[in-house]
């Protein structure tokens, strides 16, 4: 039974890591964090997705996803947040992927078709989230934050030394949004992955520091 | 009209409340209406929304199709999905507009067509068979194939694509159950399978001809290859040797006169097995018959510790003869066939050579005596003894056989491809005085290499010293595949095998 659990954990972590990478690229594209020219159309879950092929960006994303996967495998991760900062380095938007451990559903999704469908819906929603959010100001920067436990952070520290990709502790100014509004996007609940995606946006979006 | 109102409300919900992208396709399938009605509904919706509200928060894309003239004066029929902003511009580019209707309506400003595709994907998948019901593009004669039809089609596809694999399957099935497992796995090896497909076809075409040595070689080669990559080493080796049986049968048959090797006993046995195997040719032979020839070789690996040294011996001499025969024949064949044959030859030759040579190597590195002791026929002439020892060792490690074979093949290939290297290992009896004053006679292998190239020797050596424990008489579990044991040798030899192609 334990090995079963561990296997499921690993699979879930793999799936989430794949999905998160694609979602991250999708956010970069949809919110115009990078010009559309650096994106290339690729296929994932049988739908076209835009992936950035700038080497440094893709390398950074790959590293981030790798660390996230590590945490996910140990079930230590509460949520992953993609934060968009404005020129003054204040967070204006946060895309929160909240992950909880799935319950024992035992539904008949052996080949994960339903899960794939759900992830497709996630990506579709990310594509159209523009209409729900107010537009971003110019000159943004972005980062990824992970909410986890202290012990896991220590473990990650050891891992990241090997990977040469250190994570630093974020301070509250970077994590908190002033006057946030919450916009839920999508949720999925399968027996492998249970997560929801919502967006917090700050009231100060339009260039006002 | 009341119906339309309801539908319009639905659309309103979808677009405004749920923030969906509504394409006409999606709408028609969701509401189960004809596409034209869906298009009209969308159009009406957009019109009313724009009339009622001042702020236009809807974005609309249109599908436009028409004829246009390009620079060279050719008439082109173009169709495209364009956002509203570009609509007039696109229309101007067409000289004749055949159709223009609303494609989708949504609140969000679309950056590209990805979202449109995603929107339709799932709903299309769910209604894949009913889609034409609501579409104007229909073919009344188009019917969904029944299950039986699909099966037939699938079988036809398989036949054309993987005919050789099938043949191999059938032949393997007869040879041994394990090969059956190997055969299905051959299919995924597309490239290799196709390569052998041709050879296999030829083989199937002339199954009974003894003269069809080249074909046999070819078929043997593909079958070997197809079976080999098939991961199930036992089965693969079975078919490998099964095919070898056919091949060696013929070659041995022909080469009996040609080749008189040191193995008198073995040659006698060879002939017997040759005869037997000849009857068998197609590997439809029953396992006992298979035993007689190359099957012996296979069986050695398949059946743990069952291989008799005699069989081994039989194998090696036939191989040698076969090699010679094959070489002779190769001159007469086409270049393409030649190539294959050569490889086959190499395979066979190398396997036989390897057996001998590797035995020697193995004997050198570990303690010779324990190796020799278990051999049931210690008194047989040196090559046989070598074979015996080989066999003993091989009993302990099946993979090594494969390893040797593969490295041998490599060696062989190198040989045929480049220069002819004649490697002979002689077992020489050396008598010396040991520390206690006893006169000890030991058989020691000395390798003589004319035209020596160092490639093969060192390669073989490393795997031998790398497995010092294997020659011991411990009943080490025979592993099915060679990869683990063969280690570098197997891998490299196999790879070189393919490279030679």
């Amino acid at each position: 039974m334990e090995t079963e659990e561990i296997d499921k954990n690993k699979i879930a972590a793999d799936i989430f890591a794949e999905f998160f990478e694609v979602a991250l690229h999708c956010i970069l594209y949809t919110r115009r964090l990078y010009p559309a020219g650096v994106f290339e159309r690729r296929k994932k879950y049988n739908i076209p997705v835009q992936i950035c092929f700038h080497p440094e960006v893709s390398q950074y994303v790959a590293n981030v996803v790798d660390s996230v996967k590590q945490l996910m495998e140990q079930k230590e991760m509460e949520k992953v947040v993609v934060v968009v900062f404005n020129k003054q380095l204040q967070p204006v938007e946060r895309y929160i992927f909240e992950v909880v451990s799935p319950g024992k559903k035992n539904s008949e999704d052996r080949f994960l078709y339903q899960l794939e469908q759900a992830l497709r819906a996630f990506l579709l929603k990310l594509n159209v989230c523009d209409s729900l959010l107010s537009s971003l100001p110019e000159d943004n920067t972005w980062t990824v934050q992970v909410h986890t436990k202290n012990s896991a952070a220590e473990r990650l520290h050891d891992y990241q030394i090997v990977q040469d990709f250190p994570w630093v502790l974020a301070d509250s100014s970077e994590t908190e949004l002033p006057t946030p509004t919450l916009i839920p996007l999508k949720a999925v609940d399968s027996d492998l992955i249970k997560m929801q995606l919502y967006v917090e946006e700050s009231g100060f979006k339009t260039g006002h520091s | 009209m009341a119906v339309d109102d309801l539908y319009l409300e639905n659309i309103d919900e979808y677009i405004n409340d749920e923030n969906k992208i509504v394409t006409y396709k999606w709408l028609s399938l969701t509401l189960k209406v004809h596409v034209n009605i869906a298009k009209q509904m969308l159009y009406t919706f957009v019109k009313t929304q724009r009339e009622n509200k001042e702020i236009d928060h809807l974005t609309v894309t249109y599908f436009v199709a028409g004829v246009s003239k390009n620079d060279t004066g050719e008439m082109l029929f173009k169709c495209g999905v364009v956002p509203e902003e570009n609509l007039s511009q696109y229309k101007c580019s067409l000289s004749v507009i055949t159709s223009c209707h609303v494609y989708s309506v949504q609140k969000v400003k679309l950056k590209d067509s990805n979202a449109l595709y995603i929107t339709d994907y799932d709903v299309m998948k769910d209604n894949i068979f009913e889609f034409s019901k609501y579409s104007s593009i229909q073919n009344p004669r188009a019917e969904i194939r029944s299950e039986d039809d699909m099966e037939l089609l699938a079988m036809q596809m398989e036949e054309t694509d993987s005919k050789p694999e099938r043949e191999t399957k059938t032949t393997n099935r007869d040879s041994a159950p394990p090969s059956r497992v190997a055969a299905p796995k051959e299919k995924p090896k597309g490239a290799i399978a196709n390569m052998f497909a041709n050879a296999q076809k030829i083989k199937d075409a002339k199954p009974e001809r003894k003269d069809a040595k080249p074909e046999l070689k070819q078929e043997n080669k593909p079958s070997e290859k197809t079976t080999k990559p098939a991961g199930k080493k036992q089965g693969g080796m079975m078919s490998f040797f099964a095919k070898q049986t056919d091949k060696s049968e013929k070659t041995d048959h022909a080469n009996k006169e040609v080749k008189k090797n040191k193995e008198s006993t073995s040659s006698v046995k060879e002939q017997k097995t040759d005869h037997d195997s000849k009857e068998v040719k197609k590997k439809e032979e029953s396992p006992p018959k298979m035993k007689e020839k190359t099957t012996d070789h296979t069986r050695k690996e398949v059946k743990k510790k069952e291989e008799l040294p005699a069989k081994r011996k039989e194998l090696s001499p036939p191989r040698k003869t076969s090699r010679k025969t094959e070489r002779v024949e190769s001159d007469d064949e086409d270049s393409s066939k030649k190539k294959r044959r050569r490889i086959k030859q190499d395979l066979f030759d190398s396997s036989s050579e390897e057996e001998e040579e590797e035995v020697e190597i193995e004997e050198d590195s570990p303690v010779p005596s324990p190796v020799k002791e278990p051999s049931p026929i210690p008194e047989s002439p040196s090559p046989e003894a070598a074979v015996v020892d080989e066999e003993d060792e091989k009993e302990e490690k099946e993979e090594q056989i494969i390893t040797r074979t593969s490295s041998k093949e490599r060696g062989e290939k190198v040989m045929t491809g480049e220069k002819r290297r004649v490697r002979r290992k002689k077992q020489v009896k050396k008598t010396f005085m040991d520390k206690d004053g006893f006169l000890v006679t030991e058989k020691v292998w000395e390798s003589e290499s004319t035209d020596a190239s160092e490639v093969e020797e060192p390669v073989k050596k490393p795997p031998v010293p790398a497995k010092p424990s294997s020659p011991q008489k411990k009943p080490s579990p025979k592993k099915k595949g060679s990869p683990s044991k063969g280690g570098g040798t197997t891998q490299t030899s196999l790879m070189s095998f393919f490279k030679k192609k």
Side-chain angles (χ1 to χ4, degrees):
Chain A
M1 276 304 274
E2 275 199 16
T3 39
E4 222 181 83
E5 289 294 322
I6 294 168
D7 279 342
K8 260 194 171 177
N9 226 3
K10 202 146 191 304
I11 296 170
D14 276 341
I15 295 176
F16 179 75
E18 282 177 15
F19 165 72
F20 181 63
E21 183 166 5
V22 173
L24 194 50
H25 281 284
C26 187
I27 293 173
L28 297 179
Y29 177 75
T30 325
R31 302 306 276 153
R32 300 207 182 101
L33 294 170
Y34 292 111
V38 299
F39 288 90
E40 208 177 45
R41 196 174 283 187
R42 298 277 162 81
K43 193 163 81 151
K44 184 72 185 176
Y45 310 128
N46 251 337
I47 49 168
V49 294
Q50 297 279 3
I51 301 286
C52 181
F53 62 86
H54 187 285
E56 293 196 12
V57 174
S58 52
Q59 185 61 42
Y60 179 79
V61 169
N63 287 335
V64 165
V65 167
D66 191 35
S67 303
V68 164
K69 187 164 137 179
Q70 288 295 313
L71 284 175
M72 183 85 181
E73 274 176 5
Q74 290 144 24
K75 283 187 155 184
E76 299 283 4
M77 194 180 65
E78 211 180 278
K79 47 188 174 186
V80 198
V81 186
V82 183
V83 191
V84 181
F85 299 101
N86 64 3
K87 248 188 294 199
Q88 287 82 24
L89 294 183
Q90 291 165 339
V92 290
E93 239 176 41
R94 301 176 73 224
Y95 294 79
I96 296 135
F97 295 76
E98 197 173 303
V99 183
V100 293
S101 116
K104 289 260 187 240
K105 285 195 67 181
N106 262 343
S107 52
E108 280 304 310
D109 194 11
R110 262 187 73 207
F111 301 106
L112 303 178
Y113 284 138
Q114 265 100 29
L115 183 58
E116 191 181 318
Q117 198 170 3
L119 294 177
R120 265 201 293 269
F122 258 91
L123 294 175
L124 175 60
K125 203 66 185 198
L126 272 175
N127 268 321
V128 301
C129 66
D130 254 8
S131 59
L132 303 164
L133 308 166
S134 42
S135 62
L136 282 175
E138 299 277 326
D139 281 345
N140 299 308
T141 181
W142 63 280
T143 185
V144 178
Q145 296 168 357
V146 172
H147 293 241
T148 178
K149 298 187 201 146
N150 243 342
S151 54
E154 302 281 328
R155 241 176 289 161
L156 186 65
H157 187 74
D158 296 333
Y159 176 77
Q160 71 203 17
I161 299 273
V162 173
Q163 301 291 323
D164 197 20
F165 190 72
W167 288 71
V168 291
L169 200 61
D171 35 313
S172 56
S173 68
E174 295 177 18
T175 49
E176 306 274 323
L177 277 183
T179 65
T181 40
L182 197 71
I183 296 117
L185 285 187
K186 205 108 179 66
V188 68
D189 188 10
S190 82
D191 45 348
L192 272 185
I193 297 183
K194 183 168 174 175
M195 69 171 161
Q196 56 169 334
L197 167 60
Y198 55 94
V199 186
E200 276 180 29
E201 56 172 346
S202 147
F204 296 127
K205 251 202 187 163
T206 46
H208 187 306
S209 54
Chain B
M1 290 311 278
V3 179
D4 285 340
D5 285 342
L6 276 177
Y7 283 147
L8 287 178
E9 269 181 35
N10 273 338
I11 300 175
D12 196 6
E13 252 181 52
Y14 291 136
I15 296 181
N16 289 326
D17 300 341
E18 297 178 24
N19 195 36
K20 276 188 154 59
I21 301 177
V22 179
T23 61
Y24 76 94
K25 238 186 281 183
W26 183 90
L27 193 65
S28 108
L29 285 170
T30 315
L31 299 180
K32 308 257 187 275
V33 294
H34 195 269
V35 285
N36 289 341
I37 300 178
K39 294 173 198 169
Q40 271 174 357
M41 283 201 286
L42 283 177
Y43 178 72
T44 323
F45 173 76
V46 171
K47 220 164 57 154
T48 44
Q49 285 278 306
R50 287 194 170 151
E51 282 166 10
N52 295 343
K53 298 190 181 179
E54 286 164 9
I55 315 166
D56 180 19
H57 57 276
L58 295 174
T59 44
V60 189
T61 59
Y62 291 89
F63 174 83
V64 186
V67 181
S68 81
K69 256 192 182 177
N70 69 356
D71 299 337
T72 58
E74 283 172 31
M75 307 285 271
L76 295 173
F77 186 81
K78 282 180 14 174
C79 49
V81 177
V82 292
E84 205 167 8
E85 307 85 59
N86 308 340
L87 181 64
S88 47
Q89 182 192 7
Y90 194 76
K91 276 187 173 174
C92 291
S93 72
L94 301 172
S95 53
V96 179
I97 298 176
T98 53
S99 78
C100 172
H101 62 79
V102 174
Y103 189 87
S104 77
V105 182
Q106 59 277 334
K107 268 211 291 189
V108 58
K109 187 170 189 306
L110 286 176
K111 270 181 218 59
D112 57 13
S113 60
N114 289 354
L116 295 174
Y117 181 81
I118 304 173
T119 315
D120 287 334
Y121 182 85
D122 279 322
V123 75
M124 282 286 281
K125 229 170 44 139
D126 291 337
N127 299 315
I128 197 97
F129 295 123
E130 288 97 32
F131 179 65
S132 59
K133 237 196 309 184
Y134 302 117
S135 169
S136 307
I137 305 169
Q138 287 186 2
N139 180 0
R141 292 196 295 179
E143 283 175 1
I144 297 176
R145 291 180 195 263
S146 66
E147 294 257 345
D148 300 334
D149 282 344
M150 288 305 287
E151 279 180 23
L152 267 174
L153 268 180
M155 299 210 359
Q156 280 168 17
M157 290 289 292
E158 282 178 16
E159 274 173 20
T160 44
D161 291 347
S162 57
K163 206 177 185 182
E165 295 171 355
R166 275 253 195 97
E167 299 301 342
T168 318
K169 271 189 210 172
T170 47
T171 47
N172 287 348
R173 214 171 283 138
D174 298 317
S175 51
S179 46
R180 205 179 296 169
V181 182
K185 291 190 187 176
E186 293 164 10
K187 267 196 184 168
K189 320 286 174 173
I192 301 172
N194 288 334
M195 201 167 55
F196 298 116
N198 299 332
Q200 199 61 25
K201 278 178 186 164
I202 301 171
K203 175 210 173 173
D204 298 327
K206 313 172 192 176
E208 299 292 332
R209 282 184 223 167
K210 288 196 180 185
D211 304 330
K213 284 182 191 178
E215 280 88 18
L216 269 187
K217 291 168 195 164
Q218 286 175 358
E219 69 190 331
N220 285 353
K221 190 174 52 97
S223 57
E224 291 156 7
K225 287 182 185 171
T226 43
T227 50
K228 259 187 180 175
K232 187 97 200 260
K233 302 291 174 167
Q234 282 190 1
M237 289 318 291
M238 277 295 288
S239 46
F240 180 103
F241 294 110
K243 303 250 181 206
Q244 277 189 356
T245 314
D246 290 343
K247 183 186 157 198
S248 36
E249 291 170 12
K250 298 198 176 168
T251 53
D252 293 333
H253 213 42
N255 292 334
K256 266 181 211 160
E257 310 85 29
V258 178
K259 185 187 173 176
K260 292 295 178 190
N261 259 350
K262 5 181 185 174
E263 313 89 355
S264 49
T265 331
S266 47
S267 51
V268 171
K269 287 182 188 174
E270 272 177 77
Q271 289 180 7
K272 282 187 190 166
T273 54
D274 286 342
H275 284 296
D276 295 332
S277 42
K278 267 178 208 161
E279 299 160 2
V280 176
K281 262 198 218 159
K282 268 198 177 183
K283 285 171 234 171
E284 258 107 67
E285 308 163 7
S286 49
K289 277 189 181 172
M290 297 277 292
K291 247 191 212 176
E292 290 163 33
K293 258 299 170 145
T294 50
T295 333
D296 295 351
H297 205 54
T298 326
R299 283 166 115 246
K300 230 180 257 178
E301 298 160 19
V302 174
K303 299 187 182 179
K304 309 182 180 179
K305 302 181 186 168
E306 268 187 52
E307 283 303 319
L308 303 176
K311 288 176 189 167
R312 221 31 169 115
K313 288 183 237 164
E314 288 164 4
L315 280 169
S316 29
R319 298 247 174 81
K320 283 191 178 167
T321 47
S322 56
R323 176 186 16 157
K324 285 193 184 172
T325 324
E326 289 163 12
R327 294 229 175 99
V328 170
E329 292 172 353
S330 57
D331 299 335
D332 309 331
E333 307 283 343
D334 310 336
S335 51
S336 59
K337 283 191 177 181
K338 251 190 202 169
K339 235 187 181 179
R340 284 197 185 154
R341 229 175 301 117
R342 260 196 218 134
I343 297 174
K344 261 196 191 174
Q345 292 175 11
D346 292 342
L347 279 177
F348 294 133
D349 296 338
S350 54
S351 55
S352 57
E353 282 188 1
E354 270 187 355
E355 292 156 28
E356 290 188 336
E357 292 168 351
E358 291 206 2
V359 171
E360 296 165 1
I361 295 172
E362 281 167 358
E363 286 180 339
D364 283 339
S365 49
V367 181
S369 16
V371 173
K372 289 178 191 168
E373 276 165 27
S375 101
I377 310 174
E379 304 310 319
S380 40
S382 37
E384 288 180 352
V387 178
V388 168
D389 293 334
E390 254 184 79
E391 291 167 355
D392 296 334
E393 293 171 355
K394 284 186 181 166
E395 286 172 12
E396 295 171 355
K397 2 161 202 165
E398 284 178 332
E399 305 83 68
Q400 284 200 355
I401 296 172
I402 302 169
T403 313
R404 282 177 225 131
T405 313
S406 38
S407 52
K408 234 201 182 186
E409 297 161 10
R410 196 169 30 118
E412 281 301 331
K413 276 193 203 153
V414 174
M415 285 178 67
T416 48
E418 297 164 2
K419 52 183 173 174
R420 196 60 202 254
R421 249 184 293 130
V422 177
R423 249 181 285 106
R424 286 200 196 88
K425 293 203 176 173
K426 294 183 183 172
Q427 195 172 34
V428 176
K429 289 189 183 178
K430 282 195 176 163
T431 312
F432 57 90
M433 191 89 81
D434 77 351
K435 58 178 167 105
D436 290 335
F438 295 113
L439 210 61
V440 176
T441 307
E442 278 191 358
K443 292 179 195 166
V444 172
W445 287 101
E446 277 183 1
S447 63
E448 290 182 354
S449 185
T450 64
D451 223 17
S453 77
E454 295 304 314
V455 178
E456 290 249 323
E457 303 276 356
V459 174
K460 282 189 188 162
K461 302 274 184 186
V464 176
K467 309 164 199 175
S469 57
S470 42
Q472 309 311 325
K473 263 174 40 175
K474 42 180 183 175
S476 53
K478 287 192 174 176
K479 296 173 194 168
K480 282 184 184 175
S482 53
S484 52
K485 278 234 176 151
T489 314
T490 320
Q491 296 248 334
T492 45
S493 57
L494 272 179
M495 283 320 296
S496 59
F497 170 66
F498 291 122
K499 268 184 214 160
K500 286 297 175 181
K501 287 206 177 145

